[in-house]
Amino acid sequence: MTAATPSATSATTPAPATLLLRNGRLPGSDVVVDIEIVDGVIRRIGYTDPGHASTHTVDLGERWVIPGLWDNHVHFSQWAQTARRLDVSAAASAAEAAVSVAGRIPRVPAGDTLVGFGFRDGLWPAAPGLAVLDAVSGAVPVVLVSGDLHSCWLNSAALALHGFAGHPTGLLREEDCFAVVNALGAVADEVMDGWADEAARVAASRGVVGIVDLEMTWNLDTWRRRIAAGTDSLRVEFGIYSQDLPRAVELGLRSGAPIDGTGGLLTVGPYKVITDGSLNTRTAYCLDEYPGLEGTPDAHGLLTVPPEELVRFMRTATEAGIRPAVHAIGDHANSMALDAFEQLGCAGSIEHAQLLATADIERFARLGVVASVQPEHALDDRDVADRYWAGRTGRAFVLASLLEAGVELALGSDAPVAPLDPWVSMAAAVGRATEGREPWHPEQAISRQAALAASARGRHQVAVGDVADLAVCEVDPFTASVADLRRMPVAATLLAGRVTHTTL
């Protein structure tokens, strides 16, 4: 994804002025090199005399050095909370999800809400309903958030708590769902910030140096506070939503601009606008009707922002110097998003780009629109896609076709929808399969080099002059099996030469 060059300055714990990484290897090569880092920038790659004076030396033991990794689409606070929520992702029916809820209810403290995450009802034999959840939960409020974040399933107690008393099914979609999920995030700042710091350290242990945080809130103050308190494992580009766009314009925020007082860690990200829903919730806006919904008002999914409003929002952002990032999943939503980019002649990205009209692949390239995609979604949703996009999956998650057309790819996770782990995303892009299954549309697989570049801001090799945002791997990512790529052991991560994770 096109972004500002990261600053060589970091945060609270400074890197040594000169750092020498000895005995490293570059991907695809067995040649052993030394990497000299001065003031956070790579000054030399090659052999260094053993007598060379250096403030600090680290022996890499012939491990592989790659550019540090980015996750280009996350909802970070929700990701930080997910480990603390009931996992209902394995439920194959509403009844199975209810059994998991019943087992947790006795342990819910008085006055608390039981929150679960991960259900995917697209292939369930019956839709989630109020009665099945009420039967196992009683007076304890229960909110189960879907794996795609676009729907949530509430019992009667939770519906009353969140202002939806009397709702017939308890299944809320899109804006109603977002309102509930945002309310669930109302945790005390010091608690949430602690969870976020822990999640940031875990991300660094996977070679991550930066994220694009598209949490649906005003994130400038949140991340400024977290960094001031010592969360310094990641670079963060924070997104801006429509409700906060006037505020951002008034403050003079511009995409790529660093925020003062954060040591170069916090940068203004894109303007995020959501134009449709999701596949699993059957709200992605499509040219064809969804099977089973023919003739209904929502048979094609939901268009959440009309074209003229989309253009107006994007124009406001672009004129202020804020790059648009447009959520579009269905083919009709993607076409309309590209229409808006074409009308305005501006740069930006489409987030997800899951189902595309064939003619629109070339339009991405011609308009210079980045395809910000989440390859793991293709594996999670393959069965749902085969059912609801039957006959069209040849133009779903078309990573290879986009690359061949000259489109810039930016890989991400959409965490918590998929794990915040670029190795999982790269393995999905390269292998198009999870363990035990045949690859799904293997013609859309991309190379390891392309996957790494799409996870490292366009770079698949380190170079002299780069800011020393680096990861050190135990296995060569260019020759690793897909399984090894998915679980890649990371020996160290550096942010401008400062170590944020190490097992060395």
Side-chain angles (χ1 to χ4, degrees), residues 242-269:
S242 298
Q243 67 270 20
D244 293 314
L245 185 56
R247 181 180 184 182
V249 172
E250 184 178 354
L251 288 172
L253 300 183
R254 300 177 67 86
S255 294
I259 299 300
D260 291 342
T262 64
L265 292 180
L266 186 61
T267 303
V268 182

Side-chain angles (χ1 to χ4, degrees), residues 6 28 99 103 147 171 187 245 247 254 287 332 338 410 414 436 487:
V99 168
L171 187 65
V187 178
L245 185 56
R247 181 180 184 182
R254 300 177 67 86
L287 295 166
H332 202 171
L338 289 169
D414 201 12
R487 56 177 177 257

